Amino acid sequence: MREEKGFSQQALADTADIAKLTILRIENGKNAPTLDMLFAICDALEISFQELMNFDSNRE
């Protein structure tokens, strides 16, 4: 979703106030985000928590 919204990892990190390395590690499955991080990412991407958790590969 980050890429679909046109965010670089750095831009998302800056907007969500999360370290870029943490974003990278979350995306690579190396770190599990906290709920606070997930909600910050949702706010940064301007999406709902439900949208973030939609694992349907046919996303629109």
Side-chain angles (χ1 to χ4, degrees):
M1 292 193 100
R2 171 184 61 78
E3 291 174 338
E4 289 174 11
K5 293 285 188 169
F7 278 81
S8 66
Q9 287 178 337
Q10 187 65 58
L12 177 58
D14 292 344
T15 305
D17 197 26
I18 299 171
K20 180 184 174 192
L21 180 59
T22 301
I23 296 293
L24 173 72
R25 294 179 62 91
I26 290 168
E27 289 184 358
N28 289 324
K30 306 270 186 202
N31 274 26
T34 65
L35 279 175
D36 286 340
M37 286 181 193
L38 290 173
F39 283 111
I41 290 168
C42 289
D43 288 345
L45 296 175
E46 298 181 344
I47 59 172
S48 69
F49 185 76
Q50 291 80 9
E51 287 176 281
L52 184 67
M53 294 293 111
N54 179 7
F55 298 110
D56 182 6
S57 61
N58 296 320
R59 239 185 326 184
E60 294 179 11

